[in-house]
Amino acid sequence: MKMSAAKVKMREKKMRNQPASVQYTSSSQKNGGDTPVTGGGEGPSGVHPNTERTKNLPQRGGWVRGHQRDGGDYAKEMPKYITAGPFARLRAAEVSAMLKAVTKTTGSCHVFGALPKHMRRRAMSHNTKRLPCRLRDVANRMREKSFQAGSKKKKKEEAKGRSRKARRRHGNLLLEFNRRQRKNVWLETHIWHAKRFHMVKKWGYCLGDRPTYKCYRPSYRAMSNHCLLQDLSYYCCIELQGEEDKLLASLSQLTSKEAGPTFAAALCVSGQRQGSVVVYRAGQYPMQPLGPVTFLWRPRAQGSTHRQLWIWAHPTIKQDLLAELQTVCQCCEAVLPPAAPVVTPAEVVPALEPETKPEKNPDAKQMTGTKRKRTCKDASEPPAKKILGDGTRSPTTPVTWKSSSNGIVISDLTMEIVRYRLIGPQSHSVLAETMEAATDCNEMTKSQPSSLWWPEHCRNESKMNLHHQQADVFHLLKGICSTGELPSGTVLGLTVDDPRLTLPTTKVKALPCVKQEQEVEEEQRRELALRGVPAHCCQSSLWERSVRDNVTDNKISEQKMNRMKTEVLVPGSRLSPTPLQGRVPVLLVHQPGKQVGHEMSSWGAGWDLLLPKGWGMAFWVPLVYRGVRIGGLTMSLKHCQNKGAAHFPHDYPDCPAGIRFQEEQEAQLLDKFERRPPAKRTNYIKHGCLAPFCCPWQQLAEEWELILREGDGQTHTAAEADVVLEEEEEEEEEEEDDDDEEAVPCRDVTVTKPPSRVTVLRNRKSLRLLSSWCRPTTSKGQRVRGGGGGLSLLDRAAMTPFLSAHGTSLVWVRLSLLSKGRPELHAMVCVPTAEDLKLLDKEPGGSGPQEPPHRDHFKSRIRRRKKSPKTAATSSLCSDETEGKESDPPPASEPNPTTSEGPKSPPQSSPDLTFGLWPDPLPNVTAHCSRVTLGWVTQGDFSLSAGCGEALGFVSVAGLLNTLLNQPVGHRGTLLLRNPASLHYRFAKVNLEV
């Protein structure tokens, strides 16, 4: 019987290592006899018996598996002789093969494969105690080796070791929070915001962008009627100390009087007002601005010329501003921080010791499946402390610089002072209910020595008299109807009790005090609203670093405060006496609302509350319990939009931070655009929108300067030339049927000029003159205000010197729609034609004109580029023949896919062709559409304050003057707005408010 092929293979596999050591006679046996396996008796090195058996199956020799049906039997005759040497060697090979088969595991490298299948369990892979004792050591060694091979696996296993209960313990949470603050700085209200806001990582901080609940209209109502609260602690504070005249002389290089009040304004230098100014690089005005800053002088001390100045700047301009201040103040000597500071971000180092020490100590190693317990060594270590301030800053990084020539000292106080902003007419009512003036110390406490700052402060009679005067002024704020009644920038210094002592049990909306006051207080309130806070009441202990550190270090913890409240006899009553650690110096700075224009004057006014670090949540929660709304970064932008003010860095295209923001915004919008399928995208080429995601300000200013230099009426000629050019291209496309080469002439219209920097017009005198020429109106154009007295009328003679000084500048404008519509980001501001103005006369509230659809010159090129790799094998010959007739390629070219793209390589030099977008470089931006472009919108939305669509943006000064000069007097200042994804123009009124 023949064996099947599978059995033959299995037998060959088993007999592969079997030696042929037995020698038989050369004669064949009848029953199972076999030919000698040595091939004629030449020894054991002959042909292998397996090969011999496969060639002659009927003959059997040796052992054969199974019962033999033919009655055959095995040979019972013993071999006649055995070769001793080969026999011993082959028996040794058999023994080694047997040992190898016994000790060899399965194909897997795990030790579990050595067990029989009925003894294997899945739990053995992570619990070695389920293995037999003889295999446990080998399994443990293999596991340790696999853990050491990959660090990622090791980290995952360590993370699984802790249960959620262990991770949520206070100490472990604190270590985790400290670790997460090494990359991005956390504000003191970060945990509160993270539970209620969408968080974003910006400018090195983790900030709240917008709440998780709908709050757009409630936030606007809070700003208009009650109060909106924001955390602005991410703003950077730079402190300057030195002689007053030297400080003013150095800072004068960064500003100009033409742009408004500077650091040397009288009210600001006295310390009674907070000032704001746009700083430039030293001696570069009006070029190279850095950005807007606010500053606050400390009130003068009697008999001393030493002054102190705080400059608050956005984090995007901190490094540039700090470098310029060091240059103009000649502060190049860095002062190293002390070796053992009281409270610094270096406290994160001991926080890492409980994690790193167990890894370095070999005795402390533990298996992943076991529980982690706190050892005695860990319990003896000091507990980790919460990071207060900038956790990303190295402890060796200098934060102070001094000058050996003029004695000026510059200090970086970033994250050293907490800053909250309250916006709304009832902001003062919220502050009056949240804070109470600090109570005096009793005589016994004054007589005893104390390490706290308040008992020492109470021993000084003059300081206590000042404190009582400040408390009286703060008491007058309760009777004021609206925050906007006070002078803008008013400063009030104060020392208050811990607001946690008067925290209500439920949220209560703070309301103004409406009871009738005495005539004396009413007279004082009028004086306060007219002249502001007296100069001596603007002083505060918050200016002193020693006091700030003392207040921060001795703050009562939440746990201790809650324990003290539970020990009060009457639940809910205030602690008496007030703990000595519960006095906090603060600064109240009035923030002006809308200061330009005659509509909604003082809208958005409020207060800024300055606190020492570490006290953020102690004041935040009591403020929230007074019924305020909380806003994020998005609401800050809406606040500026409703005020008609520029928001930094969105609306500063001439600053480095503004340029970086525009690039980041363009990348985000482009990425969002490309994530959509091509069939669902807006084709901006057909809508005539060259730059839907950015604003080419430089090209706009250069083109308008060139237009006015060539002469009047060139704008219409340029527009007509562009239309004629498109018609010629369409004819060429019909004749040649090649869209790729017709897009090239459209690029020839680009204006080439030497590169120059664009600037924004900030000269107050020039802005007033330009505003009078625009004839500013109300939001809907219902009331016309006459220009100021003494200002010249708009004509060619007055426009020429103005353009020579500010021809390449941009100007900030507010545009109000005259009909329905909602302006969007990067909407185009255009010049209406004479036919458009006639249409406005016929239908004052009607819709505007329409933009004719444009032709997409790059659509066929993109299709061909996508189609060429798919159809290269089938259509390469045909495409080469047709292109050879038109473009006459070299005769040596062969019909392959690469040659078909050869003639088109110059137009395809830009590899980033995107469907629906114009590639760089852009053509003429002013005359690309049927209406000439003046500028673009940087903020646009439906304004709840004005009741219509409003847009804020920039237009070219040269283009605006040329438009105003050519428009009739009745329609002067009327422009057109068109969104990037629309062909519909809307009439709008331009407002240039100064």
Side-chain angles (χ1 to χ4, degrees):
M1 177 182 175
K2 288 187 177 182
M3 291 188 297
S4 62
K7 287 188 176 181
V8 171
K9 289 182 180 180
M10 183 170 59
R11 185 174 185 277
E12 289 180 358
K13 184 177 180 181
K14 289 185 176 181
M15 300 298 294
R16 187 177 300 161
N17 296 326
Q18 298 300 322
S21 59
V22 181
Q23 309 293 328
Y24 295 97
T25 58
S26 58
S27 61
S28 300
Q29 302 293 335
K30 181 179 179 180
N31 295 327
D34 198 4
T35 307
V37 295
T38 58
E42 296 180 359
S45 60
V47 182
H48 197 277
N50 298 338
T51 308
E52 190 70 22
R53 293 188 190 103
T54 56
K55 292 180 180 179
N56 191 6
L57 290 178
Q59 298 180 357
R60 296 187 185 93
W63 176 84
V64 180
R65 180 182 180 183
H67 178 72
Q68 311 299 321
R69 288 187 178 182
D70 54 356
D73 197 0
Y74 294 105
K76 300 180 179 179
E77 184 179 325
M78 297 295 292
K80 294 183 178 181
Y81 60 91
I82 294 176
T83 307
F87 183 81
R89 287 195 299 271
L90 295 174
R91 296 289 78 70
E94 286 182 356
V95 172
S96 63
M98 181 183 63
L99 293 176
K100 182 178 180 182
V102 172
T103 57
K104 183 182 179 181
T105 60
T106 58
S108 175
C109 62
H110 296 289
V111 71
F112 320 120
L115 292 173
K117 292 185 177 181
H118 70 280
M119 292 182 62
R120 301 176 188 176
R121 299 290 185 272
R122 288 185 300 173
M124 292 178 179
S125 60
H126 57 82
N127 190 357
T128 56
K129 291 184 179 180
R130 289 182 175 268
L131 284 168
C133 296
R134 60 185 177 87
L135 299 176
R136 290 179 188 174
D137 295 338
V138 181
N140 289 335
R141 287 196 298 268
M142 291 180 65
R143 290 195 62 178
E144 291 180 1
K145 185 177 180 181
S146 63
F147 290 159
Q148 294 175 0
S151 59
K152 294 184 179 179
K153 293 183 179 180
K154 185 175 180 181
K155 290 181 180 179
K156 283 186 179 180
E157 293 293 336
E158 287 182 357
K160 292 179 182 177
R162 283 186 178 179
S163 64
R164 187 180 186 278
K165 183 179 179 181
R167 294 195 307 268
R168 298 299 299 177
R169 291 194 185 103
H170 175 72
N172 296 335
L173 270 181
L174 189 58
L175 293 176
E176 178 67 13
F177 291 161
N178 289 346
R179 181 191 64 81
R180 289 164 60 184
Q181 295 184 56
R182 297 176 202 160
K183 279 190 176 181
N184 297 282
V185 181
W186 283 10
L187 306 184
E188 295 187 16
T189 58
H190 173 82
I191 302 298
W192 193 96
H193 278 90
K195 297 177 181 179
R196 301 165 178 87
F197 273 67
H198 295 283
M199 307 300 290
V200 293
K201 294 178 180 179
K202 275 189 175 183
W203 315 311
Y205 294 83
C206 198
L207 306 174
D209 184 41
R210 64 192 186 281
T212 54
Y213 50 88
K214 295 182 179 180
C215 66
Y216 177 70
R217 287 180 179 269
S219 297
Y220 171 77
R221 287 195 295 265
M223 289 187 290
S224 301
N225 303 324
H226 193 247
C227 181
L228 180 82
L229 177 62
Q230 293 177 320
D231 189 355
L232 300 185
S233 302
Y234 59 90
Y235 268 74
C236 304
C237 179
I238 301 176
E239 182 184 68
L240 278 73
Q241 299 184 38
E243 299 296 329
E244 180 179 340
D245 54 349
K246 295 180 181 179
L247 287 175
L248 293 176
S250 302
L251 295 174
S252 63
Q253 305 177 40
L254 305 179
T255 59
S256 175
K257 295 181 180 179
E258 296 180 358
T262 62
F263 290 99
L267 283 176
C268 298
V269 172
S270 64
Q272 293 181 263
R273 301 284 192 274
Q274 176 187 250
S276 60
V277 69
V278 177
V279 295
Y280 296 78
R281 295 195 181 274
Q284 297 295 324
Y285 174 84
M287 307 293 292
Q288 301 184 22
L290 295 180
V293 298
T294 57
F295 59 93
L296 183 62
W297 287 91
R298 184 177 184 179
R300 296 185 180 92
Q302 294 182 358
S304 176
T305 58
H306 188 271
R307 298 302 302 273
Q308 195 172 348
L309 172 67
W310 282 350
I311 299 177
W312 296 85
H314 197 270
T316 54
I317 64 172
K318 172 191 169 182
Q319 297 301 330
D320 296 337
L321 177 62
L322 195 57
E324 288 297 321
L325 290 175
Q326 292 174 1
T327 302
V328 297
C329 297
Q330 303 176 9
C331 295
C332 302
E333 301 178 12
V335 179
L336 297 179
V342 179
V343 179
T344 60
E347 291 171 354
V348 73
V349 177
L352 302 177
E353 294 178 2
E355 296 180 1
T356 56
K357 285 190 175 181
E359 297 178 0
K360 296 182 179 178
N361 188 5
D363 298 335
K365 290 183 179 180
Q366 57 183 0
M367 296 309 298
T368 309
T370 61
K371 292 183 178 180
R372 298 185 179 182
K373 296 182 179 180
R374 186 175 177 88
T375 61
C376 298
K377 185 176 181 182
D378 295 338
S380 62
E381 294 175 353
K385 294 183 179 180
K386 181 181 179 181
I387 293 180
L388 296 177
D390 190 355
T392 62
R393 181 189 296 165
S394 173
T396 59
T397 302
V399 294
T400 305
W401 299 266
K402 64 178 182 180
S403 173
S404 57
S405 59
N406 51 24
I408 297 178
V409 179
I410 300 177
S411 301
D412 184 7
L413 301 184
T414 302
M415 295 298 296
E416 292 293 318
I417 299 175
V418 179
R419 185 167 190 147
Y420 294 155
R421 175 161 294 178
L422 292 87
I423 304 171
Q426 300 304 323
S427 301
H428 63 286
S429 302
V430 175
L431 292 174
E433 289 197 15
T434 304
M435 301 184 302
E436 292 185 2
T439 54
D440 300 349
C441 296
N442 52 32
E443 295 298 332
M444 183 180 299
T445 307
K446 293 180 182 179
S447 60
Q448 295 177 357
S450 176
S451 60
L452 303 176
W453 77 280
W454 183 245
E456 297 293 335
H457 188 87
C458 291
R459 295 190 187 102
N460 193 325
E461 293 293 336
S462 61
K463 292 183 179 179
M464 291 308 298
N465 293 334
L466 176 62
H467 171 68
H468 295 321
Q469 295 177 14
Q470 292 173 341
D472 295 338
V473 174
F474 182 68
H475 178 72
L476 292 175
L477 292 178
K478 298 181 181 180
I480 294 180
C481 296
S482 175
T483 306
E485 296 179 10
L486 297 174
S488 60
T490 300
V491 181
L492 173 62
L494 192 64
T495 302
V496 299
D497 287 336
D498 192 338
R500 295 175 294 178
L501 301 175
T502 57
L503 183 67
T505 55
T506 58
K507 287 187 177 181
V508 180
K509 193 170 184 178
L511 298 175
C513 184
V514 295
K515 64 181 182 179
Q516 295 293 333
E517 300 291 345
Q518 299 179 1
E519 295 182 1
V520 178
E521 293 186 357
E522 187 65 26
E523 186 65 26
Q524 293 176 355
R525 195 173 295 110
R526 290 199 198 99
E527 187 72 14
L528 178 64
L530 181 62
R531 299 188 178 182
V533 179
H536 62 277
C537 292
C538 302
Q539 188 63 261
S540 175
S541 300
L542 189 67
W543 288 93
E544 301 177 9
R545 180 186 292 270
S546 59
V547 175
R548 295 198 304 266
D549 295 341
N550 188 287
V551 172
T552 301
D553 298 340
N554 296 287
K555 176 195 171 188
I556 303 176
S557 64
E558 291 290 336
Q559 182 181 11
K560 187 176 180 180
M561 177 67 68
N562 295 334
R563 187 182 300 114
M564 294 168 63
K565 287 183 178 181
T566 57
E567 296 174 356
V568 179
L569 294 178
V570 180
S573 60
R574 176 169 175 167
L575 294 177
S576 180
T578 304
L580 295 178
Q581 302 94 327
R583 273 75 170 191
V584 187
V586 300
L587 264 176
L588 297 176
V589 183
H590 183 268
Q591 290 298 320
K594 185 177 181 182
Q595 296 179 294
V596 294
H598 295 268
E599 303 169 4
M600 299 180 60
S601 180
S602 300
W603 185 94
W607 288 91
D608 278 10
L609 178 62
L610 307 184
L611 310 167
K613 69 176 181 180
W615 286 84
M617 287 304 298
F619 281 78
W620 183 267
V621 175
L623 288 171
V624 172
Y625 267 66
R626 265 64 184 191
V628 300
R629 279 276 174 178
I630 310 300
L633 297 178
T634 303
M635 201 48 59
S636 296
L637 181 63
K638 293 299 178 182
H639 176 236
C640 290
Q641 180 177 343
N642 288 325
K643 290 198 307 181
H647 187 267
F648 188 84
H650 300 64
D651 305 320
Y652 286 80
D654 55 342
C655 298
I659 296 174
R660 289 193 299 268
F661 171 80
Q662 183 174 343
E663 294 174 355
E664 295 172 0
Q665 185 184 55
E666 180 183 4
Q668 293 176 1
L669 295 177
L670 181 61
D671 180 66
K672 181 180 179 180
F673 178 80
E674 291 179 344
R675 284 199 302 266
R676 299 176 63 87
K680 304 300 180 182
R681 299 177 189 170
T682 302
N683 193 331
Y684 291 104
I685 298 180
K686 289 187 176 180
H687 285 81
C689 182
L690 293 177
F693 306 139
C694 66
C695 303
W697 303 113
Q698 182 68 32
Q699 185 175 351
L700 176 72
E702 291 175 352
E703 289 181 5
W704 269 109
E705 184 185 13
L706 184 62
I707 289 172
L708 295 183
R709 185 182 302 173
E710 292 177 353
D712 298 336
Q714 293 298 321
T715 55
H716 304 283
T717 306
E720 294 173 359
D722 191 70
V723 174
V724 171
L725 179 60
E726 291 182 358
E727 294 176 356
E728 293 177 355
E729 289 175 357
E730 292 176 1
E731 294 176 0
E732 294 176 0
E733 289 170 1
E734 294 175 358
E735 294 175 359
E736 301 179 1
D737 195 16
D738 189 0
D739 295 334
D740 298 332
E741 296 186 7
E742 289 131 13
V744 180
C746 187
R747 297 184 181 182
D748 297 338
V749 194
T750 55
V751 180
T752 57
K753 281 191 60 178
S756 61
R757 296 182 59 88
V758 65
T759 60
V760 175
L761 179 61
R762 297 188 178 94
N763 190 310
R764 303 298 293 271
K765 185 177 179 180
S766 301
L767 286 174
R768 291 193 192 96
L769 181 60
L770 187 58
S771 177
S772 66
W773 289 341
C774 290
R775 295 181 59 196
T777 62
T778 56
S779 58
K780 292 188 176 181
Q782 298 172 354
R783 185 177 69 252
V784 179
R785 297 192 309 271
L791 298 178
S792 60
L793 299 177
L794 177 61
D795 53 6
R796 183 70 60 183
M799 189 181 72
T800 303
F802 194 95
L803 288 178
S804 61
H806 312 290
T808 59
S809 300
L810 305 175
V811 62
W812 173 260
V813 296
R814 180 169 65 93
L815 297 160
S816 302
L817 296 182
L818 301 182
S819 61
K820 62 180 183 179
R822 176 178 172 270
E824 295 179 358
L825 180 66
H826 299 152
M828 290 172 286
V829 184
C830 303
V831 180
T833 61
E835 291 77 8
D836 298 338
L837 297 178
K838 293 179 181 179
L839 178 64
L840 180 62
D841 290 335
K842 294 180 181 179
E843 301 177 3
S847 58
Q850 291 276 346
E851 172 74 15
H854 292 231
R855 179 164 184 176
D856 189 356
H857 304 281
F858 305 95
K859 187 175 181 179
S860 60
R861 184 190 304 181
I862 295 175
R863 286 181 178 177
R864 186 171 300 179
R865 174 176 292 186
K866 291 181 179 180
K867 184 180 178 181
S868 57
K870 300 179 182 179
T871 59
T874 58
S875 61
S876 59
L877 292 174
C878 299
S879 60
D880 285 341
E881 290 176 1
T882 55
E883 291 177 5
K885 296 178 181 179
E886 297 179 2
S887 57
D888 295 335
S893 62
E894 297 180 1
N896 51 38
T898 57
T899 55
S900 62
E901 299 292 334
K904 302 175 187 178
S905 56
Q908 294 180 358
S909 58
S910 58
D912 53 347
L913 278 179
T914 305
F915 178 78
L917 295 179
W918 271 88
D920 292 331
L922 297 177
N924 195 322
V925 296
T926 56
H928 179 70
C929 301
S930 60
R931 274 74 176 176
V932 183
T933 304
L934 281 181
W936 290 277
V937 172
T938 58
Q939 298 180 37
D941 201 352
F942 182 85
S943 176
L944 296 176
S945 59
C948 65
E950 282 198 346
L952 301 171
F954 293 93
V955 297
S956 171
V957 173
L960 181 61
L961 284 179
N962 184 74
T963 303
L964 296 176
L965 186 64
N966 295 328
Q967 282 183 340
V969 179
H971 293 289
R972 183 169 293 178
T974 303
L975 300 179
L976 292 175
L977 273 180
R978 184 165 70 90
N979 290 333
S982 173
L983 293 173
H984 197 102
Y985 287 96
R986 302 283 184 182
F987 287 105
K989 199 71 175 179
V990 62
N991 298 273
L992 207 161
E993 300 171 337
V994 184

